[in-house]
Amino acid sequence: MRTSFAGAAVALLSVAAPLTRWEPAARAADAPPPTAAVPAADAATPSRAAADAAPVKVFPRLRPPDLEHRMQFGFALLLGSGYRTIFPYQEMVGCGQVDKRVCSGRLPLFLDVQPSFGITRRWDILVDLRFGIEQDFTPGRQFVVAPGFRYWSDADQPIKLFATVQVAFDTTADHDPALKHSNDIAFRNSNGIMFEVVRNFGVYFQAGDTIGFLRWLSFAIDLGVGVQARIP
């Protein structure tokens, strides 16, 4: 009897063992396949592509102001003074200092009024009208007309150098009977620097030299500061 029960138990164990091995395999087969993860970089791809496709704004470079004087009318005022030496051609000619053959001294204070016009990019035509503020050794005050040309070294720069070539007609009357000529003619040159505040206004400093030869031989050096307005 015991022998029969033992045989039956062995038979049941032999049947259950294959069933136990088969169940995990079946569950694994029925499980759904894993879902692949989407990379974060792929999710951000559309927004990056949109940013790359957006147009880039390009602003034009600002044009520097035009500071040359071509086709501009100018009007300048300059206040100055200087030093002068006079060599009369004849003896006993008064030149500002008593009992002296050669006279040297300060040039009386003057005001230069200067109309001008820019004929090219670097060249101006001009006329200096010099009015004496202080009285000279003659009975009157100095009056000189000096037409000429001016050259600009850096025409389009806010700081520029210039030089002039002029012929001066000194009409300051001197009625000394020993003189052959009452008026004088001279060659003049002035050199200076101008600071362009805006296109239509500048401040300048200049040094000039004048050599007269008709009435007497004279040498004059002057310094001055002035302002210039221009249109258009």
Side-chain angles (χ1 to χ4, degrees):
M1 184 87 177
R2 292 179 180 176
T3 305
S4 61
F5 278 113
V10 171
L12 289 173
L13 290 174
S14 62
V15 174
L19 293 175
T20 305
R21 290 193 300 267
W22 176 83
E23 184 176 358
R27 290 179 181 177
D30 295 339
T35 303
V38 178
D42 294 343
T45 301
S47 60
R48 183 181 302 172
D52 294 339
V56 178
K57 292 184 178 180
V58 178
F59 296 95
R61 181 177 296 179
L62 295 177
R63 181 182 178 183
D66 186 5
L67 297 177
E68 62 184 47
H69 299 172
R70 179 173 49 185
M71 304 306 292
Q72 279 190 313
F73 291 95
F75 183 81
L77 296 175
L78 178 137
L79 186 66
S81 183
Y83 191 83
R84 174 182 61 188
T85 300
I86 299 175
F87 301 87
Y89 294 127
Q90 298 90 12
E91 297 284 350
M92 305 300 295
V93 173
C95 56
Q97 295 173 335
V98 180
D99 298 331
K100 284 194 174 182
R101 181 68 174 83
V102 177
C103 303
S104 298
R106 186 177 66 87
L107 187 66
L109 188 68
F110 61 83
L111 176 68
D112 279 357
V113 178
Q114 182 195 90
S116 63
F117 180 72
I119 54 177
T120 68
R121 182 171 176 267
R122 295 185 180 273
W123 287 95
D124 293 352
I125 186 171
L126 58 89
V127 178
D128 276 335
L129 304 176
R130 176 163 294 183
F131 298 90
I133 297 176
E134 295 179 318
Q135 187 171 352
D136 209 339
F137 65 87
T138 60
R141 288 178 170 81
Q142 186 182 30
F143 179 71
V144 181
V145 179
F149 297 91
R150 176 170 48 211
Y151 176 80
W152 299 99
S153 63
D154 302 296
D156 55 350
Q157 298 300 315
I159 300 177
K160 59 190 69 176
L161 303 176
F162 65 86
T164 70
V165 178
Q166 298 168 264
V167 177
F169 301 93
D170 188 348
T171 64
T172 308
D174 191 335
H175 302 292
D176 191 330
L179 292 173
K180 294 183 179 181
H181 302 279
S182 176
N183 299 327
D184 200 7
I185 297 177
F187 295 117
R188 174 169 172 78
N189 160 254
S190 62
N191 304 283
I193 181 171
M194 175 171 282
F195 301 89
E196 300 277 8
V197 181
V198 293
R199 170 172 165 76
N200 301 101
F201 183 79
V203 179
Y204 67 100
F205 303 90
Q206 78 172 30
D209 54 89
T210 306
I211 301 176
F213 56 88
L214 183 61
R215 180 165 50 194
W216 44 44
L217 183 62
S218 63
F219 299 92
I221 298 175
D222 58 77
L223 300 173
V225 57
V227 294
Q228 184 190 53
R230 297 178 299 274
I231 56 173

Coordinates of all heavy atoms in Angstrom, one line a residue, residues 80-82 84 86 106-112 129-145 168-173 184 186 188 210 215-216 218 220 222:
G80 N 43.9 139.3 -35.5 CA 45.4 139.0 -35.4 C 46.2 140.2 -35.2 O 45.8 141.3 -35.3
S81 N 47.5 139.9 -35.0 CA 48.5 140.9 -34.9 C 49.9 140.2 -35.3 O 49.9 139.1 -35.6 CB 48.6 141.5 -33.5 OG 49.6 142.5 -33.4
G82 N 51.0 141.0 -35.3 CA 52.2 140.4 -35.6 C 53.4 141.3 -35.4 O 53.4 142.2 -34.6
R84 N 56.6 143.5 -37.7 CA 56.9 144.0 -39.0 C 58.3 144.7 -39.0 O 58.6 145.4 -38.0 CB 55.8 144.9 -39.5 CG 56.0 145.7 -40.8 CD 54.9 146.6 -41.0 NE 54.7 147.6 -40.0 CZ 53.7 148.5 -39.9 NH1 52.7 148.4 -40.8 NH2 53.6 149.3 -38.9
I86 N 60.5 147.4 -41.7 CA 60.4 148.2 -43.0 C 61.8 148.7 -43.3 O 62.5 149.2 -42.4 CB 59.5 149.3 -42.8 CG1 58.1 148.8 -42.5 CG2 59.5 150.2 -44.0 CD1 57.1 149.9 -42.2
R106 N 55.8 146.1 -33.6 CA 54.6 145.3 -33.6 C 53.6 145.7 -34.7 O 53.4 146.9 -34.9 CB 53.9 145.3 -32.3 CG 52.7 144.4 -32.2 CD 52.0 144.5 -30.8 NE 51.5 145.8 -30.5 CZ 50.2 146.1 -30.8 NH1 49.4 145.2 -31.4 NH2 49.7 147.3 -30.5
L107 N 53.0 144.8 -35.4 CA 52.0 145.1 -36.4 C 50.7 145.4 -35.7 O 50.3 144.6 -34.8 CB 51.9 143.9 -37.3 CG 51.0 144.0 -38.6 CD1 51.6 145.0 -39.5 CD2 50.7 142.7 -39.3
P108 N 50.1 146.5 -36.0 CA 48.9 146.9 -35.3 C 47.8 145.8 -35.4 O 47.7 145.1 -36.4 CB 48.4 148.2 -36.0 CG 49.7 148.8 -36.6 CD 50.5 147.6 -37.0
L109 N 47.0 145.7 -34.4 CA 45.9 144.7 -34.4 C 45.0 144.9 -35.6 O 44.6 146.1 -36.0 CB 45.1 144.9 -33.1 CG 44.0 143.8 -32.8 CD1 44.7 142.5 -32.5 CD2 43.2 144.3 -31.6
F110 N 44.5 143.8 -36.2 CA 43.7 143.9 -37.4 C 42.6 142.8 -37.4 O 42.7 141.9 -36.6 CB 44.6 143.7 -38.7 CG 45.3 142.3 -38.7 CD1 44.6 141.2 -39.2 CD2 46.6 142.2 -38.3 CE1 45.3 140.0 -39.2 CE2 47.2 141.0 -38.3 CZ 46.6 139.9 -38.8
L111 N 41.7 143.0 -38.3 CA 40.6 142.1 -38.5 C 40.5 141.7 -40.0 O 40.4 142.6 -40.8 CB 39.2 142.7 -38.0 CG 38.0 141.8 -38.3 CD1 38.0 140.6 -37.4 CD2 36.7 142.6 -38.0
D112 N 40.6 140.5 -40.3 CA 40.5 140.0 -41.7 C 39.1 139.5 -41.9 O 38.6 138.6 -41.2 CB 41.5 138.9 -41.9 CG 42.9 139.4 -42.2 OD1 43.1 140.6 -42.3 OD2 43.8 138.5 -42.4
L129 N 40.1 140.8 -46.8 CA 40.0 142.3 -46.6 C 40.5 142.6 -45.2 O 39.8 142.2 -44.3 CB 38.5 142.7 -46.8 CG 37.9 142.3 -48.2 CD1 36.4 142.6 -48.2 CD2 38.6 142.9 -49.3
R130 N 41.6 143.2 -45.1 CA 42.2 143.5 -43.8 C 41.9 144.9 -43.4 O 42.2 145.9 -44.1 CB 43.7 143.3 -43.8 CG 44.4 143.6 -42.5 CD 45.8 143.1 -42.5 NE 45.7 141.6 -42.4 CZ 46.8 140.8 -42.3 NH1 48.0 141.4 -42.2 NH2 46.7 139.5 -42.2
F131 N 41.2 145.0 -42.2 CA 40.9 146.3 -41.6 C 41.7 146.5 -40.4 O 41.7 145.7 -39.4 CB 39.4 146.4 -41.3 CG 38.5 146.2 -42.5 CD1 38.0 145.0 -42.9 CD2 38.0 147.3 -43.2 CE1 37.2 144.8 -43.9 CE2 37.2 147.2 -44.2 CZ 36.8 146.0 -44.6
G132 N 42.5 147.6 -40.3 CA 43.2 147.9 -39.1 C 42.4 148.4 -38.0 O 41.5 149.3 -38.1
I133 N 42.5 147.7 -36.8 CA 41.7 148.2 -35.6 C 42.5 149.2 -34.9 O 41.9 150.2 -34.4 CB 41.5 146.9 -34.7 CG1 40.6 145.9 -35.5 CG2 40.8 147.4 -33.4 CD1 40.3 144.7 -34.7
E134 N 43.8 149.0 -34.8 CA 44.7 150.1 -34.2 C 45.2 151.0 -35.2 O 45.5 150.5 -36.4 CB 45.8 149.4 -33.4 CG 45.4 148.6 -32.2 CD 46.5 147.9 -31.5 OE1 47.5 147.4 -32.2 OE2 46.5 147.9 -30.2
Q135 N 45.5 152.2 -34.9 CA 46.1 153.1 -35.9 C 47.5 152.8 -36.1 O 48.3 152.5 -35.2 CB 45.9 154.6 -35.3 CG 46.3 155.6 -36.4 CD 45.9 157.0 -35.9 OE1 45.3 157.2 -34.9 NE2 46.4 158.0 -36.7
D136 N 47.9 152.9 -37.4 CA 49.3 152.7 -37.8 C 50.1 154.0 -37.6 O 49.6 155.0 -37.1 CB 49.4 152.2 -39.2 CG 50.5 151.3 -39.5 OD1 51.5 151.4 -38.7 OD2 50.5 150.5 -40.5
F137 N 51.4 154.0 -38.0 CA 52.2 155.2 -37.9 C 51.8 156.2 -38.9 O 52.1 157.4 -38.8 CB 53.7 154.9 -38.0 CG 54.1 154.4 -39.3 CD1 54.4 155.2 -40.3 CD2 54.2 153.0 -39.5 CE1 54.8 154.8 -41.6 CE2 54.6 152.5 -40.8 CZ 54.9 153.4 -41.8
T138 N 51.0 155.8 -39.9 CA 50.5 156.8 -40.9 C 49.2 157.4 -40.2 O 48.7 156.9 -39.2 CB 50.1 156.1 -42.2 OG1 49.1 155.0 -41.9 CG2 51.3 155.4 -42.8
P139 N 48.7 158.5 -40.8 CA 47.5 159.1 -40.2 C 46.2 158.2 -40.2 O 45.4 158.4 -39.3 CB 47.2 160.3 -41.2 CG 48.6 160.6 -41.8 CD 49.2 159.3 -41.9
G140 N 46.2 157.2 -41.1 CA 45.0 156.4 -41.1 C 45.2 155.0 -40.5 O 46.3 154.7 -39.9
R141 N 44.3 154.1 -40.8 CA 44.4 152.7 -40.4 C 44.6 151.8 -41.6 O 44.2 152.2 -42.7 CB 43.1 152.2 -39.6 CG 43.0 152.8 -38.2 CD 41.7 152.4 -37.5 NE 41.7 152.7 -36.1 CZ 41.4 153.9 -35.6 NH1 41.1 154.9 -36.5 NH2 41.5 154.2 -34.3
Q142 N 45.2 150.7 -41.4 CA 45.6 149.8 -42.5 C 44.3 149.3 -43.2 O 43.3 148.9 -42.6 CB 46.4 148.6 -42.0 CG 47.0 147.7 -43.0 CD 47.7 146.6 -42.5 OE1 47.5 146.1 -41.4 NE2 48.7 146.1 -43.2
F143 N 44.4 149.2 -44.5 CA 43.4 148.5 -45.3 C 44.1 147.8 -46.5 O 44.8 148.5 -47.3 CB 42.3 149.5 -45.9 CG 41.3 148.8 -46.7 CD1 40.4 148.0 -46.1 CD2 41.3 149.0 -48.1 CE1 39.4 147.3 -46.9 CE2 40.3 148.3 -48.9 CZ 39.4 147.5 -48.3
V144 N 43.9 146.5 -46.6 CA 44.6 145.7 -47.5 C 43.6 144.8 -48.2 O 42.7 144.2 -47.5 CB 45.7 144.8 -46.9 CG1 46.5 144.0 -47.9 CG2 46.7 145.7 -46.1
V145 N 43.7 144.6 -49.5 CA 42.9 143.6 -50.3 C 43.9 142.6 -50.8 O 44.9 142.9 -51.5 CB 42.2 144.3 -51.4 CG1 41.4 143.3 -52.2 CG2 41.3 145.4 -50.9
A168 N 48.8 140.9 -52.3 CA 48.2 141.9 -51.4 C 48.4 143.3 -51.9 O 49.5 143.7 -52.3 CB 48.8 141.8 -50.0
F169 N 47.3 144.1 -52.0 CA 47.4 145.5 -52.4 C 47.1 146.3 -51.1 O 46.0 146.4 -50.7 CB 46.3 145.7 -53.5 CG 46.5 144.9 -54.7 CD1 45.9 143.7 -54.9 CD2 47.4 145.3 -55.7 CE1 46.0 142.9 -56.0 CE2 47.6 144.6 -56.8 CZ 46.9 143.4 -57.0
D170 N 48.2 146.9 -50.6 CA 48.0 147.8 -49.4 C 47.7 149.2 -49.8 O 48.5 149.9 -50.4 CB 49.4 147.7 -48.6 CG 49.3 148.4 -47.3 OD1 48.2 149.1 -47.0 OD2 50.2 148.2 -46.5
T171 N 46.5 149.6 -49.5 CA 46.0 150.9 -50.0 C 46.1 151.9 -48.8 O 45.5 153.0 -48.9 CB 44.6 150.8 -50.5 OG1 43.7 150.4 -49.4 CG2 44.4 149.8 -51.6
T172 N 46.8 151.5 -47.7 CA 46.9 152.5 -46.6 C 47.8 153.7 -47.1 O 48.9 153.5 -47.5 CB 47.7 151.8 -45.4 OG1 47.0 150.6 -45.1 CG2 47.7 152.7 -44.2
A173 N 47.2 154.8 -47.1 CA 47.8 156.0 -47.7 C 48.9 156.5 -46.8 O 48.8 156.6 -45.6 CB 46.8 157.1 -47.9
D184 N 51.2 150.1 -51.7 CA 52.2 149.1 -51.7 C 51.6 147.8 -52.3 O 50.4 147.6 -52.3 CB 52.7 148.8 -50.3 CG 54.1 148.1 -50.4 OD1 54.6 147.9 -51.5 OD2 54.6 147.7 -49.3
A186 N 52.4 143.5 -52.3 CA 53.1 142.5 -51.6 C 52.7 141.1 -52.0 O 51.6 140.9 -52.5 CB 52.9 142.7 -50.1
R188 N 51.9 137.3 -50.4 CA 51.5 136.9 -49.1 C 51.3 135.4 -49.1 O 50.8 134.8 -50.1 CB 50.3 137.6 -48.6 CG 49.7 137.0 -47.3 CD 48.6 137.9 -46.7 NE 48.0 137.2 -45.5 CZ 48.5 137.1 -44.3 NH1 49.7 137.7 -44.1 NH2 47.9 136.5 -43.3
T210 N 54.2 138.2 -45.1 CA 53.9 139.1 -46.2 C 55.2 139.9 -46.5 O 56.0 140.4 -45.6 CB 52.9 140.2 -45.8 OG1 51.7 139.5 -45.4 CG2 52.5 141.1 -47.0
R215 N 56.4 150.3 -52.3 CA 56.6 151.5 -51.5 C 57.9 151.5 -50.8 O 58.7 152.5 -50.8 CB 55.5 151.7 -50.5 CG 55.6 153.0 -49.7 CD 54.2 153.3 -49.0 NE 53.7 152.1 -48.3 CZ 52.5 152.1 -47.9 NH1 51.6 153.1 -48.1 NH2 52.0 151.0 -47.2
W216 N 58.2 150.4 -50.2 CA 59.5 150.1 -49.6 C 59.6 148.6 -49.4 O 58.6 147.8 -49.7 CB 59.6 150.8 -48.2 CG 58.4 150.7 -47.3 CD1 57.6 149.6 -47.1 CD2 57.8 151.8 -46.6 NE1 56.5 149.9 -46.3 CE2 56.6 151.3 -46.0 CE3 58.1 153.1 -46.5 CZ2 55.8 152.0 -45.2 CZ3 57.3 153.9 -45.7 CH2 56.1 153.4 -45.1
S218 N 59.5 145.5 -47.2 CA 59.0 145.2 -45.8 C 58.7 143.7 -45.6 O 58.4 143.0 -46.6 CB 57.7 146.0 -45.6 OG 56.7 145.5 -46.5
A220 N 56.7 141.1 -42.9 CA 55.7 141.1 -41.8 C 55.3 139.6 -41.5 O 55.1 138.8 -42.5 CB 54.5 141.9 -42.1
D222 N 52.5 137.5 -39.1 CA 51.3 137.7 -38.3 C 50.7 136.4 -37.8 O 50.9 135.3 -38.5 CB 50.2 138.5 -39.0 CG 49.8 137.9 -40.3 OD1 49.0 136.9 -40.3 OD2 50.3 138.3 -41.4

